[in-house]
Amino acid sequence: MFHPDLMRHPDSCPTLVLNADYTPLSYYPLSIWPWQTAVKAVFLERVDIVAHYEREVHSPNLTMRLPSVIALRQFVKPSQFPAFTRFNLFLRDTFACQYCGSHVRDLTFDHVVPRAQGGRTTWENVVTACAPCNLKKGGRTPKQAGMPLPIEPIRPTSWQLQEHGRRFPPNYLHETWHDWLYWDVELDA
């Protein structure tokens, strides 16, 4: 019997990682491991296999179907507040310019109160901006530039970033992942 998974190169078989409560460790970036890391974790008995690919790997004395979904045996408590990184900032602002709302590919970040005016690089003073808006605002505050922000920037919780991450599914979703993620899943009536 032919199955598309059988033709896959193992490197194109990432493994979805669930916490011990069977929720993804992270939605964005989605918690996935390369097949080698997943197989190692299986042999170290750190995870349980929830679902498999049809693709197999072989050693001289073992044949194993690659895991497509695994669950950690020990619960990993997520931190309450995420690190202040460029990626997390873009995720907080849903990958959109906070001045014009455009979803451009090349976003920058902008200090609401410019550093030249004493503004600091913090969650509460930095927003995503497209290059034209960033140039237009320049070294002024949004009020001085006549570019009000629709929403004041805040320090997000990890939960808030995870909720935003659910709106941006990755390019690859194996069918065995759908029961564990909340994207493109038809709900029973």
Side-chain angles (χ1 to χ4, degrees):
M1 180 176 106
F2 173 77
H3 192 281
D5 278 353
L6 296 174
M7 300 305 293
R8 287 180 186 275
H9 188 278
D11 289 345
S12 66
C13 296
T15 304
L16 175 66
V17 183
L18 306 176
N19 210 336
D21 64 355
Y22 285 71
T23 60
L25 280 177
S26 170
Y27 281 94
Y28 207 90
L30 188 61
S31 51
I32 57 174
W33 287 352
W35 70 271
Q36 299 96 325
T37 304
V39 168
K40 182 179 177 181
V42 169
F43 280 102
L44 293 173
E45 298 182 354
R46 294 181 180 157
V47 298
D48 292 318
I49 298 174
V50 177
H52 293 91
Y53 288 101
E54 292 298 320
R55 180 67 162 91
E56 296 176 338
V57 290
H58 306 274
S59 75
N61 57 0
L62 178 74
T63 297
M64 177 182 183
R65 286 172 53 196
L66 291 176
S68 62
V69 181
I70 57 175
L72 301 177
R73 289 189 175 175
Q74 298 229 331
F75 185 78
V76 175
K77 185 178 181 199
S79 63
Q80 185 176 2
F81 293 102
F84 182 70
T85 65
R86 180 182 296 261
F87 180 84
N88 285 344
L89 175 69
F90 290 174
L91 184 57
R92 179 201 68 185
D93 293 347
T94 64
F95 299 92
C97 174
Q98 296 304 289
Y99 296 108
C100 70
S102 67
H103 288 270
V104 294
R105 191 175 181 158
D106 296 322
L107 287 172
T108 63
F109 66 91
D110 177 63
H111 288 81
V112 177
V113 175
R115 290 172 33 154
Q117 295 184 29
R120 297 183 43 198
T121 305
T122 63
W123 282 111
E124 297 81 5
N125 191 49
V126 177
V127 296
T128 56
C130 65
C133 286
N134 204 342
L135 285 171
K136 180 179 173 186
K137 180 179 167 284
R140 302 173 290 176
T141 66
K143 185 174 184 177
Q144 292 167 338
M147 300 171 67
L149 285 168
I151 300 171
E152 285 295 313
I154 61 162
R155 178 182 182 196
T157 64
S158 293
W159 182 84
Q160 288 168 320
L161 286 190
Q162 292 300 331
E163 286 300 305
H164 285 196
R166 289 179 195 225
R167 293 188 240 158
F168 300 98
N171 295 333
Y172 174 82
L173 291 176
H174 191 260
E175 69 256 8
T176 59
W177 299 6
H178 288 220
D179 288 341
W180 310 104
L181 303 175
Y182 304 111
W183 306 306
D184 302 324
V185 177
E186 191 172 315
L187 300 175
D188 294 335

